Amino acid sequence: MLLDQITGPSSISGNFELLSRMSEKFYLRLLFDFVSVFILIRFIYFPAHKKGEFFFTFFMFNLIIFLITFLLNKVEMSMGAAFGLFAVFSMLRYRTEGISMTDMTYLFTVIAMGLINAVGIGTWYDLMLLNALILGFTVVFDSNIIWKKEASKKITYNCLDMIKPEKREELIKQLEEQTGLKIQRIKIERVNLMTNSAIIRIYYIEI
């Protein structure tokens, strides 16, 4: 009663107008989006890369872009504005920790799925097809189905005599014996004459 006297009944109903307009469509789209992203991250990304540190990032980026896009779409936000918002989010990255191009691609994908599922036009079958296409192409291109994936890692090598161009083949064989990897190529990234060491990036085929 006191709250009604302060704000008035019309004010209270106005404050919850957005919630009252949330239809069954919103919750179905949110559920559909969550299931699609869960399949992408848990059953495609994780088995291929064995990394779980970005789970929170992927899911929260997807949820945020979905909610913002869906809510702004309720106030007649144009598709151009939605893609502008999408572009802003897609350029974000963490400066305190390196993130690979593969992880950035998955981040871009979960943002795209949030946008598509929030404002996608068409039937549920159309939405299902779009998500299925994204998941399907991700499985194909992030696997060894079409081509073998090349991975890389940095190592510290403590013998500068072996990094000479004429000893490249000998160096590769030595690194293969030490790492147990079938090395395709190497790249000398940094040389430290003070410590007689070098940072070498080795490229190998993932099995």
Side-chain angles (χ1 to χ4, degrees):
M1 180 68 70
L2 180 60
L3 184 61
D4 289 345
Q5 293 177 354
I6 296 176
T7 61
S10 60
S11 176
I12 296 177
S13 61
N15 291 336
F16 291 94
E17 181 181 355
L18 180 61
L19 292 178
S20 65
R21 291 170 56 191
M22 287 296 187
S23 62
E24 184 179 296
K25 178 181 177 182
F26 167 78
Y27 299 103
L28 288 175
R29 282 180 176 269
L30 181 59
L31 176 62
F32 192 84
D33 178 65
F34 176 79
V35 171
S36 300
V37 173
F38 182 80
I39 293 173
L40 175 72
I41 302 306
R42 181 61 183 86
F43 297 107
I44 300 177
Y45 171 79
F46 184 73
H49 303 282
K50 305 298 183 184
K51 293 192 294 185
E53 62 266 30
F54 294 117
F55 277 23
F56 174 79
T57 302
F58 292 148
F59 280 107
M60 289 308 299
F61 262 80
N62 173 263
L63 177 62
I64 290 171
I65 198 69
F66 177 90
L67 292 177
I68 292 178
T69 306
F70 188 90
L71 293 176
L72 290 181
N73 190 51
K74 285 297 182 181
V75 293
E76 299 181 356
M77 181 184 67
S78 67
M79 185 59 71
F83 275 103
L85 177 65
F86 166 65
V88 170
F89 274 90
S90 67
M91 290 187 295
L92 292 177
R93 64 177 298 171
Y94 295 103
R95 299 294 182 180
T96 57
E97 182 180 359
I99 180 170
S100 68
M101 284 299 298
T102 300
D103 294 329
M104 282 296 295
T105 302
Y106 272 93
L107 180 60
F108 183 86
T109 303
V110 298
I111 292 175
M113 294 179 76
L115 176 62
I116 291 172
N117 292 319
V119 299
I121 300 174
T123 65
W124 287 105
Y125 294 105
D126 296 327
L127 203 59
M128 186 181 303
L129 177 60
L130 288 174
N131 282 271
L133 286 174
I134 293 175
L135 296 176
F137 278 109
T138 303
V139 170
V140 170
F141 290 119
D142 195 25
S143 67
N144 294 324
I145 297 176
I146 298 180
W147 56 72
K148 293 183 178 180
K149 293 188 297 182
E150 185 180 66
S152 68
K153 63 175 59 177
K154 289 182 180 181
I155 62 172
T156 301
Y157 192 75
N158 295 314
C159 182
L160 293 185
D161 291 337
M162 291 296 295
I163 67 173
K164 297 177 181 178
E166 60 270 18
K167 294 185 177 181
R168 180 61 59 93
E169 295 300 325
E170 185 180 348
L171 173 60
I172 292 177
K173 290 181 179 179
Q174 186 181 92
L175 292 174
E176 286 181 340
E177 293 176 357
Q178 294 175 348
T179 62
L181 300 171
K182 182 61 178 178
I183 298 175
Q184 302 296 306
R185 56 194 173 92
I186 62 173
K187 179 181 179 181
I188 311 298
E189 295 198 344
R190 188 166 64 251
V191 176
N192 191 329
L193 297 177
M194 298 293 295
T195 60
N196 194 40
S197 64
I199 301 297
I200 301 177
R201 180 175 291 276
I202 61 175
Y203 296 86
Y204 58 97
I205 298 298
E206 286 187 332
I207 301 175

